Amino acid sequence: MADLESRFTALEGRVAELEDQAAIRKLQWAYGYYIDYNRPEEVAGLFAEDGAVVFLSGEYRGHAGVIRLYGTWFQNLFTGGRRGPVKGLLLDHFQLQDVITVAPDRTTAKARFRGVLAGGWHDAIKDSLPEGMPQQFWEAGIYENDYVREANESGDLVWKIKRLNYLMQWQADYETGWAHTVAHLQPAVQCYPENPIGPDVILPEEEWRQTWPHRQEVAMSFAHPVLGAAFVVENFTRLQQQWP
């Protein structure tokens, strides 16, 4: 009986973990759909009250910061302040390759996603093309996000985004490709309110991120799937040297 209860408890924990992973995956996928259509209110609703977005080496804090980024900046830039979709505007964010790690107490989680963005303005609306933007472009980045499980307005425990940490990997003008493109987005240099669309704070110098064609490591939040947290490159290299 004790063994049966132990197995049941373990199974119950595993089911809870799978449910949490599914909920976080749905949360992140919903984020991608909402920003496709430039809907900042729905985006902000995915975040905890004290949540944040890290974008272009700046951190946008709280719901006000999230709205400033996705509304004051993105919505005004891409759709003229209107809720999308907008005729002739392509802005599709694909959320891929998730690796989700839920804490044992089920109150927090970390996840790594890859984002791929296809954007562009049809010839019919190219007069609305923002200055400095290519008419057609690709972009890819990595998310290393934090999530929190807390009560919503109804008192139900739900997963929310605590810190959405987006690290652009590359941008490419569709016509010329990534081999001939310098990113049209550059790191933040001035905070809000001096810059009306700026972040609340700029990351410390050691965390500052240059954009494409610069490349840098994005630390992984998950343990090695086979060797676990104990995996160390130096140790693995020594073992490799011992192999015949």
Side-chain angles (χ1 to χ4, degrees):
M1 182 62 71
D3 179 61
L4 184 61
E5 290 179 355
S6 177
R7 292 170 60 188
F8 179 79
T9 299
L11 181 60
E12 190 176 42
R14 180 59 179 146
V15 169
E17 181 184 26
L18 291 172
E19 289 178 340
D20 290 335
Q21 290 175 345
I24 291 168
R25 190 174 295 115
K26 181 179 180 180
L27 179 70
Q28 188 68 30
W29 287 352
Y31 164 84
Y33 283 117
Y34 289 141
I35 59 175
D36 284 351
Y37 289 161
N38 285 277
R39 296 189 173 178
E41 295 82 9
E42 284 93 330
V43 173
L46 302 174
F47 284 76
E49 289 284 348
D50 59 349
V53 181
V54 182
F55 181 68
L56 294 178
S57 296
E59 185 169 282
Y60 294 77
R61 294 178 169 175
H63 284 177
V66 174
I67 289 290
R68 187 186 325 124
L69 175 62
Y70 296 102
T72 308
W73 184 0
F74 288 1
Q75 190 183 64
N76 286 333
L77 176 70
F78 292 115
T79 66
R82 294 170 291 166
R83 290 168 61 81
V86 171
K87 178 182 177 180
L89 174 64
L90 172 67
L91 204 65
D92 286 355
H93 297 75
F94 305 99
Q95 312 287 287
L96 311 167
Q97 290 182 290
D98 50 279
V99 182
I100 302 169
T101 306
V102 179
D105 63 3
R106 298 185 63 208
T107 62
T108 61
K110 291 182 176 293
R112 185 183 183 99
F113 283 81
R114 186 181 301 277
V116 179
L117 164 62
W121 286 256
H122 190 273
D123 282 342
I125 64 164
K126 68 179 180 180
D127 290 343
S128 64
L129 181 67
E131 184 179 356
M133 294 282 288
Q135 186 175 350
Q136 301 179 98
F137 68 95
W138 291 103
E139 179 179 320
I142 290 175
Y143 299 90
E144 271 290 347
N145 297 342
D146 292 283
Y147 303 86
V148 62
R149 185 167 170 260
E150 60 184 26
N152 61 11
E153 293 181 355
S154 302
D156 300 319
L157 289 175
V158 297
W159 285 99
K160 302 177 185 179
I161 302 172
K162 178 73 171 180
R163 190 171 190 261
L164 187 125
N165 185 11
Y166 177 73
L167 302 95
M168 183 204 298
Q169 295 299 288
W170 54 268
Q171 282 186 331
D173 184 313
Y174 182 85
E175 291 353 30
T176 58
W178 46 80
H180 309 287
T181 300
V182 173
H184 61 266
L185 291 175
Q186 295 297 315
V189 295
Q190 190 178 44
C191 292
Y192 177 84
E194 288 75 22
N195 178 2
I197 60 173
D200 292 283
V201 297
I202 293 176
L203 297 181
E205 184 177 353
E206 62 272 16
E207 298 179 30
W208 200 70
R209 307 153 182 176
Q210 298 187 72
T211 53
W212 179 254
H214 298 280
R215 295 281 282 169
Q216 59 189 6
E217 181 183 5
V218 181
M220 301 182 191
S221 57
F222 55 90
H224 190 283
V226 177
L227 302 175
F231 177 77
V232 178
V233 172
E234 289 77 8
N235 292 345
F236 194 78
T237 302
R238 283 196 293 270
L239 286 173
Q240 188 179 34
Q241 292 171 347
Q242 298 172 13
W243 297 341

